[in-house]
Short mmCIF file of all heavy atoms in Angstrom, two decimals:
data_model
loop_
_atom_site.label_atom_id
_atom_site.label_comp_id
_atom_site.label_asym_id
_atom_site.label_seq_id
_atom_site.Cartn_x
_atom_site.Cartn_y
_atom_site.Cartn_z
N ASP A 19 0.84 -1.23 -0.01
CA ASP A 19 0.03 0.03 -0.01
C ASP A 19 0.79 1.33 0.00
O ASP A 19 0.41 2.19 -0.55
CB ASP A 19 -0.94 -0.02 1.27
CG ASP A 19 -1.90 1.18 1.21
OD1 ASP A 19 -2.61 1.46 0.25
OD2 ASP A 19 -1.92 1.90 2.24
N ARG A 20 1.99 1.33 0.62
CA ARG A 20 2.80 2.47 0.84
C ARG A 20 4.02 2.57 -0.11
O ARG A 20 4.84 1.67 -0.06
CB ARG A 20 3.14 2.66 2.29
CG ARG A 20 2.00 2.79 3.15
CD ARG A 20 2.39 2.99 4.57
NE ARG A 20 1.28 2.88 5.50
CZ ARG A 20 1.27 2.32 6.58
NH1 ARG A 20 2.25 1.61 6.98
NH2 ARG A 20 0.13 2.14 7.23
N LEU A 21 4.12 3.56 -0.87
CA LEU A 21 5.24 3.74 -1.67
C LEU A 21 6.64 3.84 -0.97
O LEU A 21 7.48 3.23 -1.34
CB LEU A 21 5.14 5.03 -2.60
CG LEU A 21 4.07 4.95 -3.65
CD1 LEU A 21 4.09 6.29 -4.41
CD2 LEU A 21 4.36 3.79 -4.65
N SER A 22 6.58 4.40 0.21
CA SER A 22 7.88 4.47 1.03
C SER A 22 8.30 3.12 1.43
O SER A 22 9.43 2.77 1.45
CB SER A 22 7.65 5.40 2.24
OG SER A 22 6.57 4.89 3.09
N PHE A 23 7.30 2.26 1.86
CA PHE A 23 7.77 0.92 2.24
C PHE A 23 8.23 0.06 1.07
O PHE A 23 9.22 -0.64 1.05
CB PHE A 23 6.54 0.17 2.91
CG PHE A 23 6.32 0.44 4.34
CD1 PHE A 23 6.07 1.69 4.79
CD2 PHE A 23 6.32 -0.52 5.24
CE1 PHE A 23 5.86 1.99 6.13
CE2 PHE A 23 6.19 -0.23 6.64
CZ PHE A 23 5.90 0.92 7.04
N ARG A 24 7.58 0.25 -0.06
CA ARG A 24 7.84 -0.47 -1.29
C ARG A 24 9.29 -0.04 -1.71
O ARG A 24 10.11 -0.89 -2.09
CB ARG A 24 6.90 -0.12 -2.38
CG ARG A 24 7.07 -0.84 -3.67
CD ARG A 24 6.08 -0.41 -4.74
NE ARG A 24 4.77 -1.08 -4.54
CZ ARG A 24 4.42 -2.12 -5.04
NH1 ARG A 24 5.35 -2.86 -5.90
NH2 ARG A 24 3.25 -2.73 -4.76
N ARG A 25 9.63 1.20 -1.62
CA ARG A 25 10.88 1.78 -2.15
C ARG A 25 11.92 1.29 -1.14
O ARG A 25 13.02 0.86 -1.56
CB ARG A 25 10.81 3.27 -2.14
CG ARG A 25 12.01 3.92 -2.71
CD ARG A 25 11.91 5.48 -2.89
NE ARG A 25 10.58 5.86 -3.34
CZ ARG A 25 9.89 6.71 -2.74
NH1 ARG A 25 10.28 7.43 -1.68
NH2 ARG A 25 8.72 7.05 -3.15
N PHE A 26 11.67 1.38 0.15
CA PHE A 26 12.61 0.83 1.12
C PHE A 26 12.97 -0.62 0.98
O PHE A 26 14.15 -0.92 1.08
CB PHE A 26 12.02 1.04 2.55
CG PHE A 26 12.98 0.51 3.65
CD1 PHE A 26 13.94 1.32 4.07
CD2 PHE A 26 12.78 -0.63 4.22
CE1 PHE A 26 14.78 0.90 5.07
CE2 PHE A 26 13.54 -1.09 5.21
CZ PHE A 26 14.63 -0.31 5.72
N CYS A 27 12.06 -1.38 0.49
CA CYS A 27 12.24 -2.87 0.34
C CYS A 27 12.76 -3.15 -1.00
O CYS A 27 13.16 -4.30 -1.29
CB CYS A 27 11.00 -3.69 0.61
SG CYS A 27 10.35 -3.58 2.31
N GLY A 28 12.80 -2.14 -1.95
CA GLY A 28 13.35 -2.32 -3.23
C GLY A 28 12.36 -2.98 -4.28
O GLY A 28 12.82 -3.55 -5.25
N PHE A 29 11.13 -2.91 -4.05
CA PHE A 29 10.17 -3.44 -4.93
C PHE A 29 9.67 -2.44 -5.91
O PHE A 29 9.10 -1.38 -5.59
CB PHE A 29 8.96 -4.00 -4.29
CG PHE A 29 9.14 -5.12 -3.45
CD1 PHE A 29 9.10 -5.10 -2.01
CD2 PHE A 29 9.48 -6.41 -3.97
CE1 PHE A 29 9.32 -6.20 -1.21
CE2 PHE A 29 9.80 -7.54 -3.12
CZ PHE A 29 9.69 -7.36 -1.82
N PRO A 30 9.98 -2.55 -7.28
CA PRO A 30 9.44 -1.74 -8.26
C PRO A 30 7.94 -1.69 -8.29
O PRO A 30 7.21 -2.63 -7.80
CB PRO A 30 9.95 -2.29 -9.62
CG PRO A 30 10.98 -3.33 -9.31
CD PRO A 30 10.68 -3.66 -7.81
N LEU A 31 7.37 -0.65 -8.79
CA LEU A 31 5.91 -0.48 -8.92
C LEU A 31 5.21 -1.66 -9.66
O LEU A 31 4.09 -1.95 -9.50
CB LEU A 31 5.50 0.81 -9.39
CG LEU A 31 5.75 2.04 -8.54
CD1 LEU A 31 5.41 3.35 -9.29
CD2 LEU A 31 5.00 1.89 -7.17
N ASP A 32 5.95 -2.11 -10.70
CA ASP A 32 5.31 -3.17 -11.59
C ASP A 32 5.58 -4.58 -11.11
O ASP A 32 5.19 -5.56 -11.69
CB ASP A 32 5.86 -3.00 -13.06
CG ASP A 32 7.33 -3.21 -13.15
OD1 ASP A 32 8.04 -3.18 -12.08
OD2 ASP A 32 7.84 -3.36 -14.20
N GLN A 33 6.22 -4.75 -9.89
CA GLN A 33 6.45 -6.03 -9.32
C GLN A 33 5.42 -6.45 -8.12
O GLN A 33 5.23 -5.47 -7.40
CB GLN A 33 7.84 -6.12 -8.79
CG GLN A 33 8.28 -7.45 -8.29
CD GLN A 33 9.79 -7.52 -7.82
OE1 GLN A 33 10.57 -6.59 -8.19
NE2 GLN A 33 10.12 -8.42 -6.96
N LYS A 34 5.04 -7.64 -8.08
CA LYS A 34 4.10 -8.06 -7.00
C LYS A 34 4.93 -8.02 -5.66
O LYS A 34 6.07 -8.29 -5.67
CB LYS A 34 3.56 -9.45 -7.35
CG LYS A 34 2.49 -9.91 -6.46
CD LYS A 34 1.96 -11.24 -6.85
CE LYS A 34 0.91 -11.56 -5.85
NZ LYS A 34 0.77 -12.98 -5.57
N THR A 35 4.28 -7.65 -4.65
CA THR A 35 4.89 -7.71 -3.37
C THR A 35 4.63 -9.02 -2.70
O THR A 35 3.62 -9.70 -2.88
CB THR A 35 4.46 -6.52 -2.45
OG1 THR A 35 3.01 -6.49 -2.32
CG2 THR A 35 4.94 -5.07 -3.08
N PRO A 36 5.44 -9.39 -1.60
CA PRO A 36 5.27 -10.69 -1.01
C PRO A 36 4.04 -10.63 -0.06
O PRO A 36 3.59 -9.68 0.47
CB PRO A 36 6.51 -10.84 -0.17
CG PRO A 36 7.05 -9.52 0.01
CD PRO A 36 6.61 -8.72 -1.25
N ASP A 37 3.39 -11.83 -0.01
CA ASP A 37 2.24 -11.94 0.95
C ASP A 37 2.76 -12.27 2.33
O ASP A 37 4.00 -12.47 2.55
CB ASP A 37 1.24 -13.00 0.48
CG ASP A 37 1.85 -14.46 0.44
OD1 ASP A 37 2.97 -14.65 0.98
OD2 ASP A 37 1.28 -15.33 -0.15
N HIS A 38 1.90 -12.24 3.33
CA HIS A 38 2.26 -12.41 4.68
C HIS A 38 3.12 -13.77 5.00
O HIS A 38 3.94 -13.90 5.80
CB HIS A 38 1.26 -12.15 5.77
CG HIS A 38 0.18 -13.20 5.70
ND1 HIS A 38 -0.88 -13.28 4.78
CD2 HIS A 38 -0.02 -14.33 6.47
CE1 HIS A 38 -1.63 -14.24 5.03
NE2 HIS A 38 -1.14 -14.87 6.03
N MET A 39 2.72 -14.84 4.30
CA MET A 39 3.38 -16.10 4.43
C MET A 39 4.77 -16.14 3.95
O MET A 39 5.74 -16.70 4.52
CB MET A 39 2.56 -17.17 3.82
CG MET A 39 1.29 -17.55 4.63
SD MET A 39 1.58 -18.00 6.36
CE MET A 39 2.63 -19.46 6.19
N SER A 40 4.98 -15.38 2.79
CA SER A 40 6.30 -15.26 2.27
C SER A 40 7.21 -14.47 3.18
O SER A 40 8.38 -14.77 3.41
CB SER A 40 6.27 -14.49 0.85
OG SER A 40 5.60 -15.28 -0.07
N ILE A 41 6.62 -13.43 3.79
CA ILE A 41 7.38 -12.60 4.83
C ILE A 41 7.67 -13.48 5.97
O ILE A 41 8.79 -13.42 6.45
CB ILE A 41 6.55 -11.39 5.23
CG1 ILE A 41 6.43 -10.46 3.99
CG2 ILE A 41 7.18 -10.70 6.36
CD1 ILE A 41 5.50 -9.26 4.11
N TRP A 42 6.73 -14.23 6.46
CA TRP A 42 6.96 -15.15 7.63
C TRP A 42 8.12 -16.19 7.32
O TRP A 42 8.98 -16.45 8.07
CB TRP A 42 5.72 -15.88 8.08
CG TRP A 42 5.87 -16.77 9.19
CD1 TRP A 42 5.95 -16.41 10.46
CD2 TRP A 42 6.25 -18.17 9.15
NE1 TRP A 42 6.02 -17.57 11.23
CE2 TRP A 42 6.44 -18.64 10.50
CE3 TRP A 42 6.45 -19.12 8.18
CZ2 TRP A 42 6.65 -19.86 10.84
CZ3 TRP A 42 6.85 -20.39 8.43
CH2 TRP A 42 6.88 -20.82 9.71
N ARG A 43 7.96 -16.80 6.10
CA ARG A 43 8.97 -17.76 5.67
C ARG A 43 10.46 -17.17 5.66
O ARG A 43 11.39 -17.79 6.11
CB ARG A 43 8.62 -18.39 4.36
CG ARG A 43 7.59 -19.55 4.53
CD ARG A 43 7.30 -20.27 3.27
NE ARG A 43 6.92 -19.53 2.14
CZ ARG A 43 5.81 -19.27 1.88
NH1 ARG A 43 4.73 -19.82 2.55
NH2 ARG A 43 5.48 -18.53 0.67
N PHE A 44 10.48 -15.97 5.20
CA PHE A 44 11.81 -15.26 5.09
C PHE A 44 12.30 -14.99 6.51
O PHE A 44 13.49 -15.24 6.77
CB PHE A 44 11.74 -13.96 4.23
CG PHE A 44 12.92 -13.20 4.30
CD1 PHE A 44 13.94 -13.55 3.46
CD2 PHE A 44 13.03 -12.00 5.02
CE1 PHE A 44 15.08 -12.83 3.42
CE2 PHE A 44 14.26 -11.27 4.95
CZ PHE A 44 15.23 -11.61 4.22
N ARG A 45 11.48 -14.44 7.35
CA ARG A 45 11.87 -14.14 8.74
C ARG A 45 12.33 -15.50 9.36
O ARG A 45 13.23 -15.44 10.14
CB ARG A 45 10.71 -13.38 9.41
CG ARG A 45 11.09 -13.03 10.84
CD ARG A 45 9.99 -12.06 11.37
NE ARG A 45 8.72 -12.53 11.30
CZ ARG A 45 8.14 -13.48 11.89
NH1 ARG A 45 8.82 -14.12 12.95
NH2 ARG A 45 6.83 -13.74 11.73
N GLN A 46 11.54 -16.46 9.25
CA GLN A 46 11.81 -17.73 9.94
C GLN A 46 13.17 -18.33 9.38
O GLN A 46 13.89 -18.90 10.22
CB GLN A 46 10.73 -18.82 9.63
CG GLN A 46 10.74 -19.97 10.51
CD GLN A 46 10.77 -19.74 12.05
OE1 GLN A 46 10.00 -18.87 12.52
NE2 GLN A 46 11.77 -20.27 12.71
N ARG A 47 13.43 -18.17 8.09
CA ARG A 47 14.75 -18.65 7.52
C ARG A 47 15.87 -17.88 8.24
O ARG A 47 16.92 -18.46 8.55
CB ARG A 47 14.68 -18.48 6.08
CG ARG A 47 15.94 -18.98 5.43
CD ARG A 47 15.86 -20.49 5.39
NE ARG A 47 17.02 -20.91 4.65
CZ ARG A 47 17.80 -22.05 4.88
NH1 ARG A 47 17.59 -22.72 5.94
NH2 ARG A 47 18.83 -22.32 4.21
N LEU A 48 15.71 -16.54 8.45
CA LEU A 48 16.74 -15.76 9.10
C LEU A 48 16.89 -16.31 10.58
O LEU A 48 18.13 -16.43 10.93
CB LEU A 48 16.33 -14.31 9.21
CG LEU A 48 16.38 -13.48 7.83
CD1 LEU A 48 15.77 -12.14 8.05
CD2 LEU A 48 17.75 -13.41 7.33
N VAL A 49 15.86 -16.60 11.22
CA VAL A 49 16.03 -17.13 12.60
C VAL A 49 16.68 -18.50 12.51
O VAL A 49 17.58 -18.78 13.33
CB VAL A 49 14.64 -17.31 13.29
CG1 VAL A 49 14.72 -18.07 14.48
CG2 VAL A 49 14.04 -15.83 13.41
N ASP A 50 16.31 -19.43 11.63
CA ASP A 50 16.88 -20.74 11.49
C ASP A 50 18.44 -20.61 11.28
O ASP A 50 19.15 -21.49 11.67
CB ASP A 50 16.16 -21.51 10.34
CG ASP A 50 14.82 -21.82 10.68
OD1 ASP A 50 14.43 -21.76 11.89
OD2 ASP A 50 13.94 -22.24 9.81
N LEU A 51 18.82 -19.65 10.49
CA LEU A 51 20.26 -19.47 10.14
C LEU A 51 21.02 -18.64 11.15
O LEU A 51 22.20 -18.45 11.11
CB LEU A 51 20.41 -18.84 8.74
CG LEU A 51 19.91 -19.61 7.61
CD1 LEU A 51 19.90 -18.89 6.29
CD2 LEU A 51 20.69 -20.97 7.46
N GLY A 52 20.26 -18.13 12.22
CA GLY A 52 20.82 -17.25 13.18
C GLY A 52 21.36 -15.94 12.76
O GLY A 52 22.34 -15.30 13.29
N LEU A 53 20.69 -15.43 11.74
CA LEU A 53 21.07 -14.07 11.08
C LEU A 53 20.22 -12.95 11.44
O LEU A 53 20.47 -11.81 11.10
CB LEU A 53 21.07 -14.31 9.59
CG LEU A 53 22.02 -15.26 8.99
CD1 LEU A 53 21.84 -15.45 7.49
CD2 LEU A 53 23.45 -14.89 9.28
N GLN A 54 19.12 -13.15 12.28
CA GLN A 54 18.23 -12.07 12.59
C GLN A 54 18.95 -10.89 13.41
O GLN A 54 18.78 -9.73 13.12
CB GLN A 54 17.01 -12.55 13.27
CG GLN A 54 17.14 -12.92 14.78
CD GLN A 54 17.70 -14.34 14.94
OE1 GLN A 54 18.16 -15.05 14.02
NE2 GLN A 54 17.73 -14.77 16.25
#
């Protein structure tokens, strides 16, 4: 919804943004690798 968030995350306007499950899986992978 917000251009500032999209820009901060590096998503161009013509690219689909991740859904909440993709965000969760990414965050969980960071935790699993001890990188958070």
Side-chain angles (χ1 to χ4, degrees):
D19 186 54
R20 297 186 189 131
L21 289 176
S22 59
F23 277 61
R24 182 182 283 268
R25 192 174 318 129
F26 179 80
C27 294
F29 293 111
L31 291 175
D32 61 347
Q33 183 177 342
K34 189 176 182 215
T35 55
D37 64 13
H38 69 278
M39 285 305 299
S40 297
I41 294 169
W42 180 86
R43 283 190 298 271
F44 176 74
R45 187 171 43 78
Q46 191 58 45
R47 183 75 174 137
L48 289 173
V49 170
D50 292 345
L51 295 171
L53 296 174
Q54 74 278 10

